[in-house]
Amino acid sequence: MNSLPRISCVILCHNYGRYLDQAITSCLEQEPGRYILHEVIVIDDGSTDETEEVCRRRKGDIRVIRRSRQGFGRTLTDAALLSSGDWVAPLDADDWFHSAKLRTCAEAMASAREALFIEHWENVVDSLGHPKLKDPHPGGNTSTLLVHREAALSLLPVSNEIFFHALREAGRGLVLQDPVTFYRVHPRSMTDRSTPGVSQDYRAEVCFALADRLRAMRGNPPPWATGRRLGRISRHFRALASRHGVESSLQREERLSALFLIPGMLKDTIWARDPLAPWFRSLSSAIVGRPQVQLTTGPGKSAHS
């Protein structure tokens, strides 16, 4: 395919009006490259703040979809359903893109034409946009992804962007170390990462749901994976769910519950043909009763990261 990829930037917004204008501008002011900025869409998921006014001011630049509150999963699902580009670049409205994001990702698309999924690193900033971490951080969350729309449609509906990670596990993804998103951590972020176990329980739930979805797809596999490969990827996400479950139990100081999950995690890891190192780390943590993930001191941004 020699034509330039058309990219749809889709901004997901619920009561992030104070950040929305910056998110919109970051999509519209991308550096030129071997791609077409096909559209910029804002999905306003039942906001009650200044989001509607911001959208009204920018109506000549964007397409707005405003509806009653339906939640993050439905909004992310609609990002793929309602866009019409070849690729979808979702963006949480409290984050923003570096001006080189689309150019950088388009260059990666051109060099790996079989890729259906791209993720990249991020700069972590505070509520005012000031650096929160000295060095760039690995991505994987909503604002650090591009996904080929046709491939994304085969995974819908989704509850979280982790569903799109299946494309990476199928060997159809690229991971770039370019930090071309600014990822904002602030007190009004969506997900609680300060209460022990809450974030990890959510991640485990998402991974189990994805594992079940992939297993159900084996009888009629999509073009990007065979039925056998889907079975292995399903096991990968079951093992990942167990890893999150171990971490949740340790955060809650429930060491026996963590140890109970270790054998199943090992079985799924072996079936998935995954490296054993993550399993050993979870085993060591469970034995000593010490979690691997530090809790934040306030609500943290993303269990969907």
Side-chain angles (χ1 to χ4, degrees):
M1 182 176 178
N2 295 321
S3 59
L4 298 179
R6 301 171 304 153
I7 301 177
S8 298
C9 293
V10 186
I11 302 172
L12 288 57
C13 187
H14 174 69
N15 286 342
Y16 282 157
R18 60 199 178 282
Y19 303 125
L20 179 58
D21 193 76
Q22 184 176 24
I24 293 171
T25 299
S26 76
C27 294
L28 294 170
E29 295 185 354
Q30 287 290 301
E31 297 174 6
R34 295 192 57 77
Y35 70 92
I36 297 169
L37 178 57
H38 181 63
E39 58 190 346
V40 177
I41 301 173
V42 175
I43 303 180
D44 177 5
D45 188 42
S47 297
T48 57
D49 63 354
E50 64 267 41
T51 294
E52 185 176 9
E53 175 57 31
V54 175
C55 290
R56 188 179 300 114
R57 292 200 309 266
R58 304 300 299 266
K59 65 180 180 180
D61 300 322
I62 61 175
R63 174 184 165 203
V64 180
I65 298 166
R66 180 172 172 81
R67 80 291 181 80
S68 59
R69 177 81 164 132
Q70 296 184 34
F72 174 76
R74 182 67 218 185
T75 305
L76 185 59
T77 296
D78 284 347
L81 284 175
L82 301 177
S83 59
S84 57
D86 304 308
W87 288 78
V88 181
L91 175 62
D92 285 333
D94 53 341
D95 300 331
W96 76 95
F97 290 156
H98 189 285
S99 60
K101 166 156 177 155
L102 299 189
R103 175 182 59 77
T104 301
C105 292
E107 290 170 357
M109 294 173 200
S111 64
R113 295 186 179 276
E114 295 299 311
L116 298 173
F117 173 89
I118 297 173
E119 68 178 84
H120 56 75
W121 286 34
E122 63 195 4
N123 297 294
V124 180
V125 300
D126 63 18
S127 59
L128 298 177
H130 301 145
K132 193 172 179 68
L133 298 180
K134 179 180 178 182
D135 298 316
H137 185 268
N141 58 72
T142 313
S143 302
T144 63
L145 308 181
L146 273 85
V147 60
H148 194 278
R149 182 171 179 270
E150 290 300 320
L153 293 176
S154 70
L155 288 162
L156 300 185
V158 302
S159 60
N160 182 277
E161 72 276 4
I162 291 173
F163 273 64
F164 299 138
H165 292 190
L167 299 167
R168 180 190 62 205
E169 299 304 319
R172 304 298 296 273
L174 297 174
V175 179
L176 310 178
Q177 292 190 6
D178 304 78
V180 286
T181 283
F182 293 89
Y183 177 80
R184 196 187 312 259
V185 177
H186 57 94
R188 295 179 63 185
S189 296
M190 287 189 298
T191 304
D192 181 359
R193 293 179 71 180
S194 61
T195 304
V198 170
S199 174
Q200 299 298 326
D201 283 346
Y202 172 71
R203 293 170 188 249
E205 179 184 349
V206 170
C207 288
F208 275 129
L210 174 55
D212 290 344
R213 175 78 58 76
L214 295 170
R215 185 173 182 178
M217 291 168 62
R218 291 182 303 168
N220 185 25
W224 47 268
T226 64
R228 178 174 293 184
R229 188 68 178 268
L230 289 174
R232 284 175 52 191
I233 302 170
S234 173
R235 291 283 192 165
H236 165 81
F237 283 103
R238 287 190 65 86
L240 184 55
S242 294
R243 193 191 317 171
H244 290 311
V246 169
E247 184 67 21
S248 171
S249 296
L250 294 176
Q251 289 181 5
R252 299 177 192 273
E253 300 182 353
E254 297 172 357
R255 184 163 161 265
L256 287 179
S257 296
L259 287 167
F260 180 78
L261 294 170
I262 292 295
M265 181 181 171
L266 176 61
K267 180 179 178 181
D268 288 323
T269 298
I270 293 171
W271 273 91
R273 303 181 188 176
D274 284 350
L276 287 173
W279 178 79
F280 278 116
R281 287 195 293 269
S282 291
L283 174 63
S284 298
S285 294
I287 289 173
V288 300
R290 185 170 61 244
Q292 299 178 57
V293 178
Q294 293 292 324
L295 295 173
T296 62
T297 57
K301 185 172 172 189
S302 90
H304 59 270
S305 63

